[in-house]
Amino acid sequence: MVGRLVLVLGDQLSHDLSALRAAEKARDVVVMAEVMDEASYVPHHPKKIALVLSAMRHFAEELRAAGWQVAYSRLDDPEAARSIVGALIRQGQEHGTAEVIATQPGEWRLIAALEEAPLTVRQLPDDRFLCPLGDFDRWAEGRRELRMEYFYREMRRKTGLLMAGEAPAGGRWNFDHDNRKPARPDLLRPKPMRFAPDAITAEVLDLVEARFSGNFGALRPFWFGVTAAQAEAAFEHFARHLLPGFGDSQDAMLSGDGFLHHSVISMYLNIGLLNPGDICTRVVEEWKAGRVPINAAEGYVRQVIGWREYMRGLYFREGPDYPQRNALDHHRVLPAAYWGAQTRMNCVAQTVEQTRQEAYAHHIQRLMVTGNFALLAGVDPARVHEWYLAVYADAFEWVEAPNVIGMSQFADGGIIASKPYISSGNYINRMSDYCAHCAYSVVQKTGEGACPFNLLYWDFLSRHRDRFARNPRMGPVYRTWDRMAEGRRAEVLAGAAQVLDDLDAGRVV
Ligand code: DLZ
Ligand code: SF4
């Protein structure tokens, strides 16, 4: 009997994947393909490409060891297809079948490509998430506002994580107000677990170096785990050594210490090497054993069962046009500093350099430094979206687009965020040591040397007055602006115009 093809994509590296569960080992053929279309739909960071390709090769080995027949094509095979559908067509011809079982991809682009393929593709739900998309839609239906906090409470109840009967453990749903302390340098703080490349990874690194060295990002040293066993070891290391301090300094930023108490496992989670329910259960165990305070455990669980699932639900609910939305009508090009060009803004320089080195920055660096600046400067959100999708190892569209288009750039007009996430330099100064070493002065509001965040903050509010002045949460800042002397307001706006002019002319800001 002719078997079927079972598609496994580069971010579907889970042995319990729905497509694998629906397949028959004895007769079906798993198709895994390294293809140029996936490696180049944005100029991915070389570390991200290496992670995906090496993890794919290791996963294919595990499948073979478990008795699967795997048709694997490498990027440097002379016969390699250009696209996933191309690879399926080729394997279909080889094995005499047009039937494909797939797990629904995490991006509309690929879902459409599979629907339009000249093959019979069955796309099964991706059930490696805790909230099925149908449940999310039912939750969202008829609500005027879709606030993460309410979704999160439902998820707590549904999973039973950190619950004391019907009530939240510790008496509160959210301990975020305990999680806003600045961080202090600590040379003894453990770092995320690092792994030496094995022979498979070494081969991938040479391939990525040969093909993608023009992309933004340092390929070496490459230290990511590439198997589920390594990802689990990295998570265990975090749970033991870093989780206890995770809550307190969750929003802090420190020069030369990009990881602080963060787990740095999102790239493993998002390609399927870790399971979200398992890691949350593990975090709760640490809290129950008294080794981790409630604000750390709750903060971590909220990111995984709250934010992550909520982002995915919204991405699929909003539809394929979501990444193109531009509610604030912003059209500026992305400043060259995002690709490593010189900038005098130390916060941006630090965050971009860390991103170049590690394909990682934590949520506050992404939201309040690079995201905040792009929003204040009025950068085209589609360009901002492409940048995040390219430069972070954990970035896949289902999670990246709602975070960037919705949360960070307010380009969906307020579906995800109730007000734009903007701040002057003051917030960055409070949460980091960046301002102390900056060419600009964070306390200076106008004139030569004033922090560009300070100037652009008011300029943004002034430009978008019609939209935001009536927002109850923004009324107070407009009142502050209106109380400023007219001459001072004019000075701020002139300073902001100069910054924007400099950006447009490609001068160093
Ligand atoms: C990100 C990525 C890259 C760089 N390369 C591949 C690849 O060669 N083959 C593959 O199957 N998947 C790759 N991926 C992951 C896909 O882009 C990802 O599955 C889709 O964007 C959907 O999330
Ligand atoms: Fe960033 Fe302004 Fe602080 Fe410089 S002074 S680091 S530009 S926030």
Side-chain angles (χ1 to χ4, degrees), residues 1 19 34-35 70 185 194 200 211 216 218 221 244 256 265 281 291 330 347 349 364 392 422 472 479:
M1 190 162 56
E34 298 174 7
V35 294
V70 183
R194 298 169 84 93
I200 294 178
R211 301 247 176 152
F216 169 82
I265 55 91
T281 304
R291 289 191 288 265
H330 282 171
C347 54
I364 293 296
Y392 291 114
I422 50 169
R479 284 195 285 284

Side-chain angles (χ1 to χ4, degrees), residues 67-143:
W68 290 96
Q69 189 186 339
V70 183
Y72 192 100
S73 64
R74 295 177 173 214
L75 206 58
D76 50 0
D77 283 348
E79 305 280 279
R82 170 116 214 143
S83 67
I84 295 293
V85 169
L88 287 170
I89 291 173
R90 189 156 305 166
Q91 290 302 331
Q93 284 160 355
E94 179 102 8
H95 293 92
T97 181
E99 238 188 293
V100 180
I101 310 175
T103 291
Q104 191 181 55
E107 195 178 336
W108 287 111
R109 172 184 61 86
L110 267 186
I111 294 174
L114 291 181
E115 276 168 2
E116 288 154 18
L119 299 156
T120 312
V121 184
R122 185 150 64 99
Q123 297 194 48
L124 301 167
D126 188 346
D127 54 13
R128 297 172 301 162
F129 292 86
L130 296 163
C131 180
L133 295 175
D135 287 10
F136 185 87
D137 288 341
R138 272 189 292 282
W139 172 79
E141 215 44 60
R143 277 173 196 259

Side-chain angles (χ1 to χ4, degrees), residues 344-348 425 428 434-435 438 440-442 451-453:
R344 299 169 68 219
M345 295 182 285
N346 190 39
C347 54
V348 174
I428 295 174
Y434 294 154
C435 301
C438 185
Y440 293 106
S441 160
V442 72
C451 165
F453 286 79

Side-chain angles (χ1 to χ4, degrees), residues 59 106 120 161 165 227 240 259 271 286 405 433 457 494:
F59 190 72
T120 312
L161 288 163
T227 63
R240 288 284 168 108
F259 301 121
I271 63 173
E286 286 297 293
I405 293 291
D433 63 354
Y457 176 74

